[in-house]
Amino acid sequence: MRPRRRFFRRASDTYDNLGAVVRILVVEDKVKLATVLRRGLRKEGLAADIAASGEDAVWMAGSTPYDAVVLDVMLPGIDGFETCRRLRSQAVWAPILMLTARDRVDDRVAGLDAGADDYLTKPFAFRELLARLRALVRRGAVERPTVLAVADLR
């Protein structure tokens, strides 16, 4: 049996620059999937919290610093696109990975234009989700506007 790989290459990599454990916010209204995601992330040595709605996600991300957010699009109340816009408008700059069954090009473009950093469609391989999260966490949270403006051009 092959040894299982951890989220990061070294155990010390599961901590950020200040020595805190990497925290992921999972925004998913399907309880079973949210639980599986949290369990898998925790097995990789990460701290993972769950928000079941967009409103909960905005509140949680505004009160707790997360290293990344995994965000479903089809949520009760405000959808994932609006949740993403609200997070960015409130200066929550943690990288956001949209994880959704909506796989049309228009949906992917809408998610990225709303402020998401990456977009992964369901069904997905958990290993790919981990690889994408590793890449996002390596880059870290970078403050940036959701609208680029140069002179009068927006």
Side-chain angles (χ1 to χ4, degrees), residues 102-146:
R102 294 176 65 171
D103 61 354
R104 292 185 6 230
V105 172
D106 290 341
D107 294 324
R108 293 191 300 256
V109 169
L112 295 169
D113 285 347
D117 298 280
D118 199 357
Y119 196 102
L120 181 62
T121 58
K122 300 174 187 174
F124 62 95
F126 192 71
R127 285 178 45 217
E128 182 179 4
L129 173 65
L130 289 175
R132 289 172 182 261
L133 283 173
R134 276 194 301 272
L136 291 172
V137 169
R138 269 194 310 266
R139 286 183 225 135
V142 178
E143 185 174 336
R144 61 211 181 266
T146 55

